[in-house]
Amino acid sequence: GKQLALVKTSSAVRTCGFDFGGNIIMFSTDKQMGYQCFVSFFDLRDPSQIENNEPYMKIPCSDSKITSAVWGPLGEFIIAGHENGELNQFSAKSGEQLSNIKEHTKQINDIQTSRDMTMFITASKDNTAKLFDCTSLEHLKTFRTERPVNSAALSPIFDHVVLGGGQEAMDVTTTSTRIGKFEARFFHLAFEEEFGRVKGHFGPINSVAFHPDGKSYSSGGEDGYVRIHYFDPQYFEFEFEA
């Protein structure tokens, strides 16, 4: 529990993560209080960067702030999702923008990669989750719902996707759980078809994640609960037969 380092920022930190080797951290700060959005990179092998609060690289994002970001394979670049629905690749060495696409029409709330880091899935306020190639940013699949998607995750063992969402948090008090669409929703990765829903939350789901062994998943909601669900044995039998 001992604090090893402290990095101070001028505005709220929206997203952060370690690179493939665990030596470099990146985080993005919000566009607020007169400060613009930046992505900062610190190399933990150089203690002076932390001591002086001086990252080895800062990338300004003046057009639209970053709302979610993850490292790409082998820590060569990061993939950033923006408030306006854009996706960018930024080099972790030069800070150069490697590619830019706009497949979403509204804010990207979450980005999660597949276990082998070849693909990633985005969750957006435009009521969709989309699958992309990590390196080329090619758009591969789309999963559609009737409500904003706050989080999406890829199963490590099956061609399955879980989505979590619901409406905006500020609208929750005026909506009954019956019509709030607070279920976790399962889609087939290849066919883009929904095959199951799991109820339980009485507020929007903010975050979903599969267990690394693929035998369970968890969801965290606006209702203040984290729910951990273990899949039935039939779930595995059905998938292997199929």
Side-chain angles (χ1 to χ4, degrees), residues 6-51:
L6 175 66
V7 177
K8 294 189 176 178
T9 63
S10 304
S11 57
V13 175
R14 182 62 45 195
T15 184
C16 62
F18 281 94
D19 78 330
F20 181 76
N23 294 316
I24 298 173
I25 54 168
M26 68 85 186
F27 59 83
S28 69
T29 52
D30 269 2
K31 187 178 181 178
Q32 61 184 171
M33 300 184 295
Y35 296 98
Q36 75 176 93
C37 170
F38 281 100
V39 190
S40 300
F41 293 81
F42 284 85
D43 192 326
L44 301 179
R45 291 164 295 190
D46 179 5
S48 66
Q49 291 183 22
I50 300 289
E51 287 167 18

Side-chain angles (χ1 to χ4, degrees), residues 197-240:
R197 296 189 186 187
V198 178
K199 296 182 178 179
H201 284 286
F202 48 92
I205 294 173
N206 292 331
S207 186
V208 291
F210 278 97
H211 189 282
D213 67 9
K215 295 179 180 177
S216 62
Y217 85 96
S218 57
S219 55
E222 193 72 27
D223 54 10
Y225 287 90
V226 175
R227 300 177 66 87
I228 302 169
H229 291 268
Y230 292 88
F231 297 119
D232 300 327
Q234 294 93 321
Y235 172 78
F236 305 102
E237 291 166 14
F238 162 76
E239 182 63 26
F240 287 124

